[in-house]
Amino acid sequence: MSDVPDPTPYERIGGEAGLRRMTQRMYALMDTLPEAAAVRAQHPSSLEGSEQKLFEFLSGWLGGPPLFTQKHGAPMLRARHLPFRIGMEEASGWLACFHGAMTETVEDTELREFLWSRIEPLALHMRNLQAVPLRWADAQDA
């Protein structure tokens, strides 16, 4: 039995350098992927601040330094995203960018599967628009 703890996902991704590589690639993809157009439109012209905040959040979330919490307080992700109109198109675009960046920059297959199994439901939880608007008046006429 070993007293050496298993490496954290933060360590497995390559620490600060590996995580920075992934988040920078993600936001580069957001600027280029056609399927990311709706989510890109929700961001300021420069993606630098958004990339930095995601980097800070993921650092703590993956077991590294809790940079986001130290700088901004509790993440409260859903509350922080409520001012933005996020439907399936925006969530899918964001996930396409994350998946592409993760696939290109994270060599560890198990780590990719672990990240995806947690990031996909988290991103879908950020949606605040119904996939199909429901209008009771229309439903009563049917």
Side-chain angles (χ1 to χ4, degrees), residues 36-48:
V39 71
R40 177 62 180 98
Q42 297 282 344
H43 288 77
S45 58
S46 170
L47 293 172
E48 197 173 296

Side-chain angles (χ1 to χ4, degrees), residues 30-31 33-45 47 84-85 89-90:
M30 191 176 290
D31 259 340
L33 290 180
E35 59 266 42
V39 71
R40 177 62 180 98
Q42 297 282 344
H43 288 77
S45 58
L47 293 172
F84 305 99
R85 296 177 53 83
E89 186 177 7
E90 291 81 7

Side-chain angles (χ1 to χ4, degrees), residues 4 32-33 49 67 70 78 82 95-96 98 102 111 115 123 126:
V4 178
T32 60
L33 290 180
L67 304 173
Q70 290 170 347
R78 182 123 165 98
L82 282 176
L95 284 167
F98 188 94
M102 178 183 67
L111 179 58
L115 291 173
M126 295 302 111

Side-chain angles (χ1 to χ4, degrees), residues 18 25 30 35 45 50 80 82 87 115 117 129-130 142:
R25 181 62 184 142
M30 191 176 290
E35 59 266 42
S45 58
S50 300
R80 289 182 190 271
L82 282 176
L115 291 173
S117 73
L129 299 177
Q130 290 178 312

